[in-house]
Amino acid sequence: MSKVLVTGGAGFLGSHIADALSDIGHEVTILDQVESPYLREDQSFIKGDVCDAEKLIEQLSGFEYVYHLAALADLNAAKARPIETVAINIQGTVNMLEACRVNNVKRFVFGSTVYVYSREGSFYRCSKQACENYVEEYYNQFGLEYTILRYGSLYGPRTDMANGVYRLLKNFMDQTEMEHSGKSSDKRDYIHAYDAARLSASILDAQYANKNLVLTGNDKLEIADLYKMFGEILGKEVKVRFLGDEGATNGHYNITPYAYTPKIGHKLVSNEYVDMGQGLIQVIEEIDSGLSE
């Protein structure tokens, strides 16, 4: 199997992808600013920063594939910190691309988002659109092969309040009345982190080189129905006020974010996937145990 580096591998999605790659036999190393609490005995760790361009060239020596997940990934945080979003998301990605080019990495796998299709998402969306352009241009100019993975609404264990589903679920568990900034009719394609990671680990075959893939899962729900599911699982009733129904906007897309058209992405799906009800129970158990706080 291959030597694979996962940046941001101490985080939510990155740690799951690292595990999925290890499970199918790859030699996995995680690069992050802090050691992953999920680091396995069959994985290695490098302390690194995607903003340190010179150091990255040294650290990427010997790797065949690089999964780049390190980013300022919280949409709301990115909206409030545009300069930091550029430094981490855009400049950090270009630093990684250059280190891959210098080290003759076989393929650069970039973690993007379905927000690239949207006019919403503020500076987070801007940064991901720019990154995709740089990834594609590095292939055009230098022949650095790539695969871009555009993720939908992720949920599952190992996350925190930066994750949309976790945040909604925890607030629902803690309150009897709450406000939701979007519309009750907002729809999302939810994908469990296990499924996203497994699909992400499967794309190193040659057929996925220089492709843009959409990983949005099989569960599409309106937000109002998601809250109903919370209530049914928890046996609890919470009064939810949807501010978007009253005319407010929150910078998130409403149904399907296809206002902007970057390079076409082909949807990658699996016939076997985590049932959302079971996945939510898993998150509830983690919240109750305090593991995510």
Side-chain angles (χ1 to χ4, degrees):
M1 285 298 200
S2 304
K3 292 189 66 176
V4 183
L5 181 75
V6 180
T7 75
F12 170 45
L13 180 58
S15 65
H16 287 297
I17 290 177
D19 287 352
L21 288 163
S22 294
D23 287 343
I24 58 176
H26 292 294
E27 185 179 339
V28 176
T29 298
I30 289 168
L31 185 147
D32 213 316
Q33 292 179 307
V34 295
E35 184 170 335
S36 171
Y38 315 110
L39 190 70
R40 299 177 5 172
E41 291 184 358
D42 57 349
Q43 297 172 345
S44 302
F45 173 75
I46 297 175
K47 185 176 182 179
D49 186 344
V50 297
C51 294
D52 190 341
E54 293 186 8
K55 188 69 172 177
L56 287 175
I57 292 175
E58 174 187 331
Q59 292 174 322
L60 264 64
S61 177
F63 289 101
E64 298 168 81
Y65 298 94
V66 170
Y67 280 71
H68 181 44
L69 282 301
L72 181 58
D74 186 326
L75 185 151
N76 293 320
K79 186 175 181 179
R81 295 146 61 186
I83 295 176
E84 190 175 352
T85 301
V86 171
I88 297 173
N89 291 8
I90 301 177
Q91 185 62 61
T93 297
V94 176
N95 291 342
M96 288 297 304
L97 286 164
E98 182 64 10
C100 288
R101 181 190 70 81
V102 171
N103 283 285
N104 296 311
V105 168
K106 289 182 179 179
R107 198 186 313 166
F108 181 84
V109 182
F110 178 65
S112 189
T113 172
V114 293
Y115 270 102
V116 296
Y117 293 114
S118 177
R119 290 192 182 94
E120 306 299 338
S122 191
F123 298 117
Y124 175 71
R125 178 259 304 162
C126 292
S127 72
K128 290 298 186 178
Q129 288 177 351
C131 288
E132 287 199 11
N133 288 332
Y134 271 101
V135 170
E136 291 166 2
E137 196 61 23
Y138 255 77
Y139 171 69
N140 293 335
Q141 296 296 328
F142 306 117
L144 174 59
E145 293 195 341
Y146 69 88
T147 303
I148 291 173
L149 303 176
R150 296 173 182 151
Y151 297 101
S153 296
L154 293 155
Y155 74 102
R158 303 181 182 175
T159 188
D160 54 27
M161 293 294 280
N163 176 261
V165 172
Y166 181 98
R167 183 171 60 252
L168 297 181
L169 180 53
K170 191 169 192 311
N171 287 339
F172 191 95
M173 293 171 68
D174 292 343
Q175 301 173 32
T176 57
E177 294 186 9
M178 58 186 292
E179 293 182 345
H180 182 87
S181 59
K183 298 180 180 180
S184 58
S185 60
D186 287 350
K187 288 186 178 180
R188 296 289 182 274
D189 290 296
Y190 295 100
I191 181 167
H192 194 283
Y194 290 172
D195 296 324
R198 183 168 44 82
L199 289 169
S200 300
S202 73
I203 55 82
L204 294 182
D205 291 343
Q207 63 177 313
Y208 299 115
N210 311 316
K211 297 286 180 64
N212 299 49
L213 304 175
V214 177
L215 281 67
T216 52
N218 297 277
D219 290 302
K220 191 178 188 75
L221 287 176
E222 290 189 355
I223 297 297
D225 289 331
L226 181 65
Y227 279 117
K228 288 178 183 177
M229 186 176 286
F230 292 169
E232 289 172 359
I233 292 172
L234 293 166
K236 178 182 180 183
E237 187 172 337
V238 175
K239 184 178 180 181
V240 182
R241 179 186 174 194
F242 293 94
L243 301 181
D245 291 347
E246 302 171 12
T249 60
N250 64 355
H252 294 255
Y253 61 86
N254 177 228
I255 298 178
T256 304
Y258 291 145
Y260 177 78
T261 308
K263 187 174 179 181
I264 294 297
H266 301 276
K267 189 165 182 176
L268 187 64
V269 297
S270 172
N271 291 328
E272 296 182 6
Y273 60 95
V274 176
D275 172 76
M276 190 159 190
Q278 292 298 315
L280 290 175
I281 290 172
Q282 183 185 36
V283 178
I284 290 168
E285 290 173 346
E286 190 166 84
I287 291 173
D288 279 340
S289 70
L291 292 176
S292 295
E293 296 182 358

